[in-house]
Amino acid sequence: MGCNLAIAGVTGAVGQEFLKILEEREFAFDSLKMLASSRSKGKRIEFKGKSYVVEELTARSFEKIDIALFSAGGARSKEFAPAAVKSGAVVVDNSSAFRMDPEVPLVIPEINPEKIKENKGIIANPNCSTIVGIVPVWPLHKANAVKRMVVSTYQAASGAGQSAMVELEEQSREILSGKEPVCKAFPYQIAFNIFSHNSALGPNGYNEEEMKMVKETQKIFDCPEIAITCTCIRIPVFRAHCESINLEFTASITADEVRDLLSTAPGVSVLDDREHNRFPMPIDATGKDNIFVGRVRQDESVADNRGINIWVAGDQLRKGAALNAVQIAERLL
Amino acid sequence: MGCNLAIAGVTGAVGQEFLKILEEREFAFDSLKMLASSRSKGKRIEFKGKSYVVEELTARSFEKIDIALFSAGGARSKEFAPAAVKSGAVVVDNSSAFRMDPEVPLVIPEINPEKIKENKGIIANPNCSTIVGIVPVWPLHKANAVKRMVVSTYQAASGAGQSAMVELEEQSREILSGKEPVCKAFPYQIAFNIFSHNSALGPNGYNEEEMKMVKETQKIFDCPEIAITCTCIRIPVFRAHCESINLEFTASITADEVRDLLSTAPGVSVLDDREHNRFPMPIDATGKDNIFVGRVRQDESVADNRGINIWVAGDQLRKGAALNAVQIAERLL
């Protein structure tokens, strides 16, 4: 049983990762349509020994398509996802366009796969830093409800797309050869520097990336009362996000209990080797499916042993984006 | 009124910064002795138009010395600081050797300058990440006692010395030219990667860097009850540390009140431009004396408006080490 598949935004960083993951996971399809903006129209992409011609993404692109994986930006999702649904496709959308729509399931298959079947044509893929952070928090929350999370992120360039990864490389070369770094993809220097996430700030001073972590987690956990505060930072790393996560639980919990819960959690790899001071790094997570977790410690600043610190690393392009969407598509079939 | 000054560890990253800062601040001295390990003995260093010969640091190095600035590592401080004191010098020690000694004042001049005069020959300079983090927290704590701090650090290579800064540069070149990066100064790849601080881990799973933040802050604030939890991370930046700091206060406080308190705080520069999404970055703080603070936000996850998030950046070699020590020396005179 295959399906007619379309990828909107196939030439982008996430689009390219879709192809890698579809191949690795031997995703069964009858036909595959590669879609992108008019800029990339006519470009050829080799996939599984076959040459595909990139077509322009339009409202008429989705005839006979069963599943459309969208990663072409929020504006294009808003414009073309309804047309895809009208044509009979189910859209798995990687943008933020529909995530907070109460009619649209927001899904991480390790957490709320049951929401997939409630879709009315669109299923939203959560934001990358949300996915990377909460895949390991979920099994803990199920065992002992999390009351409050304080999150600080260390986010890779890939979250801003292919051009941002190229910019990190180019700026690094420029600085190492004594030149002034040129900023195009990012507003500020990313090589040998870090900056507060460059998404728009709301009236409360939090940027969109930070508010996504708060609102998306509450929706995915189906737990509007979970209190979350977040600080999102861009760092000079290519494609894996890390997060420092401080958790306050309802009841007491030990670091050993947390490690035990994580050791059997789907999508999670525990890397918590205190003896060798060996914990998750971006280069561990790069190209890997699982979220790596380590630095599991009792937070002694919380009373009654209800506090835990963890440190996570996950590939932003894989589980943070393309893999999660493909996992949703697999469950749709 | 000058003094006879000695610098132990003059060839290191902090030692070199001592010289820059002494020159910039026109620190008045009658004589200057440059000391380092036997490896650097005989090396010549130009300073303010004069050529100095580096002498080997020994127990006999401190005759007629009034003030000795030490940054030669904890082992050398333990070995030679007592000899310097015996010779009549006051030691300002940048290592961790004496910081938690109840007989030794641990001083940040913006916070507890009154402790300087209580010295019995040694004054300890706090750890870099402690200084960078708590200079801006102190004016807030004085106004409204901080009950709990959750800190995640983004620490530059310079904290591990000159060789670590060189390693960041060399590994970056290696990776950009497709070579395998060589790790010497750090146990793990630092270029385009981040890792948990490589100091020794205690039985509670926290590394020394993290426990310094806890214990040193409690001592400097003279507030053993302040609850602190910390996660220390090394990032590929040359010489300025950043920290994401979540604060819980005793009473309610607004982001505007915090900004007002910070705007007149000594050693602090507020850079909190929400309109232009412009907040402190390592390249802002590099080479600067002040700690930069921004991203001042109400933490809506804490009840009764008692929560605040801030983001800080400070030059690890300057205020985090050499400048703080020179400021102590200035007050000794």
Side-chain angles (χ1 to χ4, degrees):
Chain A
M1 267 295 291
C3 82
N4 297 309
L5 189 66
I7 300 177
V10 71
T11 54
V14 175
Q16 290 295 297
E17 205 66 27
F18 276 140
L19 295 179
K20 267 191 227 165
I21 289 167
L22 292 171
E23 181 162 12
E24 282 173 25
R25 296 173 77 90
E26 300 181 353
F27 188 96
F29 57 87
D30 293 329
S31 72
L32 173 61
K33 205 168 199 177
M34 298 202 185
L35 302 167
S37 69
S38 59
R39 235 185 17 230
S40 298
K41 187 182 164 181
K43 202 179 153 183
R44 286 192 166 273
I45 293 178
E46 299 294 314
F47 181 60
K48 295 179 90 171
K50 202 179 145 186
S51 180
Y52 291 81
V53 178
V54 176
E55 298 174 40
E56 184 179 351
L57 170 61
T58 72
R60 292 169 305 282
S61 298
F62 301 95
E63 210 187 320
K64 293 188 184 154
I65 294 297
D66 300 305
I67 296 177
L69 303 174
F70 266 72
S71 187
R76 288 206 179 82
S77 289
K78 273 191 187 137
E79 190 175 353
F80 299 116
V85 173
K86 217 169 178 181
S87 299
V90 177
V91 170
V92 183
D93 182 34
N94 193 49
S95 83
S96 63
F98 304 103
R99 285 180 195 148
M100 297 316 298
D101 184 332
E103 299 284 297
V104 173
L106 181 64
V107 175
I108 298 176
E110 289 86 348
I111 299 178
N112 59 346
E114 73 284 357
K115 296 285 176 192
I116 292 172
K117 66 177 186 298
E118 295 176 13
N119 83 78
K120 296 176 180 173
I122 301 176
I123 300 165
N125 209 42
N127 190 41
C128 49
S129 52
T130 306
I131 297 176
V132 169
I134 73 174
V135 163
V137 171
W138 174 250
L140 312 178
H141 179 69
K142 268 196 304 184
N144 183 343
V146 172
K147 291 177 69 174
R148 180 172 178 243
M149 285 172 66
V150 180
V151 183
S152 295
T153 71
Y154 301 65
Q155 294 184 231
S158 59
Q162 189 66 43
S163 61
M165 297 167 78
V166 171
E167 182 149 309
L168 169 57
E169 187 175 332
E170 286 181 350
Q171 284 189 357
S172 299
R173 286 187 205 281
E174 285 157 0
I175 290 168
L176 290 172
S177 58
K179 289 179 200 145
E180 196 64 31
V182 179
C183 295
K184 289 173 293 188
F186 285 126
Y188 307 112
Q189 177 184 322
I190 183 66
F192 307 111
N193 192 39
I194 70 177
F195 51 83
S196 177
H197 196 280
N198 52 301
S199 51
L201 288 137
N204 62 359
Y206 290 84
N207 58 49
E208 286 175 353
E209 188 82 359
E210 291 161 352
M211 292 316 295
K212 286 174 186 173
M213 174 73 82
V214 176
K215 299 294 180 191
E216 294 180 13
T217 301
Q218 290 170 340
K219 179 168 177 177
I220 297 163
F221 281 10
D222 194 15
C223 180
E225 67 274 21
I226 189 171
I228 303 172
T229 191
C230 187
T231 299
C232 286
I233 305 296
R234 192 73 80 181
I235 63 164
V237 156
F238 285 106
R239 57 175 280 172
H241 286 356
C242 292
E243 299 178 21
S244 170
I245 304 179
N246 180 268
L247 298 164
E248 285 178 58
F249 293 89
T250 306
S252 69
I253 188 166
T254 68
D256 283 340
E257 286 165 350
V258 168
R259 263 184 299 267
D260 282 350
L261 287 164
L262 292 172
S263 67
T264 55
V268 172
S269 294
V270 176
L271 174 50
D272 198 29
D273 181 357
R274 290 184 180 182
E275 198 186 336
H276 300 98
N277 211 330
R278 184 71 178 82
F279 305 107
M281 304 190 287
I283 54 173
D284 295 317
T286 295
K288 302 282 168 48
D289 287 351
N290 277 7
I291 307 300
F292 289 72
V293 189
R295 303 295 331 269
V296 179
R297 291 156 290 160
Q298 195 85 50
D299 171 5
E300 294 162 9
S301 78
V302 178
D304 309 323
N305 291 321
R306 293 183 298 97
I308 289 286
N309 283 305
I310 62 171
W311 169 253
V312 307
D315 190 307
Q316 185 273 327
L317 291 173
R318 290 183 77 90
K319 186 59 186 170
L323 172 63
N324 195 73
V326 172
Q327 288 171 324
I328 292 170
E330 286 171 347
R331 285 171 184 258
L332 275 169
L333 291 179
Chain B
M1 267 295 292
C3 82
N4 297 308
L5 189 67
I7 300 176
V10 72
T11 55
V14 175
Q16 290 294 298
E17 205 65 26
F18 275 142
L19 295 179
K20 267 191 227 165
I21 289 167
L22 292 171
E23 182 162 13
E24 281 172 26
R25 297 173 76 90
E26 299 183 351
F27 188 96
F29 57 86
D30 294 329
S31 72
L32 173 60
K33 204 168 198 175
M34 297 201 185
L35 302 167
S37 70
S38 59
R39 234 185 15 230
S40 298
K41 187 182 164 182
K43 200 178 155 186
R44 284 189 169 275
I45 293 179
E46 298 294 314
F47 181 60
K48 295 179 87 170
K50 203 180 143 182
S51 180
Y52 291 80
V53 178
V54 176
E55 297 174 40
E56 184 179 350
L57 170 60
T58 73
R60 291 169 305 284
S61 298
F62 300 94
E63 209 186 321
K64 294 188 183 153
I65 294 296
D66 300 305
I67 297 177
L69 303 174
F70 266 72
S71 186
R76 287 205 180 85
S77 288
K78 272 192 187 138
E79 189 174 354
F80 299 117
V85 173
K86 217 168 178 181
S87 299
V90 177
V91 171
V92 183
D93 182 35
N94 193 50
S95 83
S96 64
F98 304 103
R99 286 181 194 146
M100 297 317 297
D101 184 333
E103 300 284 297
V104 172
L106 181 64
V107 174
I108 299 177
E110 288 86 349
I111 300 179
N112 60 346
E114 72 283 358
K115 295 286 176 190
I116 292 172
K117 65 176 187 296
E118 294 175 13
N119 84 78
K120 295 175 179 173
I122 300 175
I123 300 165
N125 208 43
N127 189 41
C128 50
S129 53
T130 307
I131 297 177
V132 169
I134 72 173
V135 164
V137 172
W138 174 248
L140 312 178
H141 178 69
K142 267 196 305 184
N144 184 343
V146 172
K147 290 176 70 175
R148 179 171 178 244
M149 284 172 67
V150 180
V151 183
S152 295
T153 72
Y154 301 64
Q155 295 184 231
S158 59
Q162 188 65 45
S163 60
M165 296 167 77
V166 171
E167 181 149 310
L168 170 56
E169 188 175 332
E170 286 179 350
Q171 284 188 358
S172 300
R173 286 186 204 282
E174 285 158 0
I175 290 167
L176 290 172
S177 57
K179 290 179 198 144
E180 196 64 31
V182 179
C183 296
K184 289 173 294 190
F186 285 125
Y188 307 112
Q189 178 184 323
I190 182 68
F192 307 110
N193 192 40
I194 70 177
F195 52 82
S196 178
H197 196 281
N198 53 302
S199 51
L201 288 136
N204 63 358
Y206 290 84
N207 59 48
E208 286 175 354
E209 189 80 359
E210 292 161 350
M211 292 315 295
K212 286 174 187 174
M213 174 73 82
V214 177
K215 299 294 179 191
E216 294 180 13
T217 301
Q218 291 170 338
K219 180 170 176 176
I220 297 163
F221 281 10
D222 194 15
C223 180
E225 67 274 20
I226 189 170
I228 303 172
T229 190
C230 188
T231 299
C232 286
I233 305 297
R234 191 74 78 182
I235 63 165
V237 157
F238 285 107
R239 57 174 280 172
H241 286 357
C242 292
E243 299 178 21
S244 170
I245 305 179
N246 180 269
L247 299 164
E248 285 178 60
F249 292 89
T250 306
S252 70
I253 188 166
T254 68
D256 283 340
E257 286 166 348
V258 168
R259 262 186 299 267
D260 282 350
L261 287 164
L262 291 172
S263 66
T264 56
V268 171
S269 294
V270 176
L271 175 51
D272 197 29
D273 181 357
R274 290 184 181 182
E275 198 187 335
H276 299 97
N277 212 330
R278 185 68 181 83
F279 304 108
M281 304 189 288
I283 55 172
D284 294 317
T286 295
K288 302 282 169 50
D289 288 351
N290 277 8
I291 307 301
F292 289 72
V293 189
R295 305 290 335 266
V296 179
R297 291 155 291 160
Q298 195 85 51
D299 172 4
E300 294 162 8
S301 78
V302 179
D304 309 324
N305 290 322
R306 293 184 299 96
I308 290 286
N309 283 305
I310 62 172
W311 169 255
V312 307
D315 189 309
Q316 185 272 328
L317 291 172
R318 290 182 77 89
K319 185 58 187 171
L323 172 63
N324 196 73
V326 172
Q327 288 171 322
I328 292 170
E330 286 171 346
R331 285 172 182 258
L332 275 169
L333 292 177

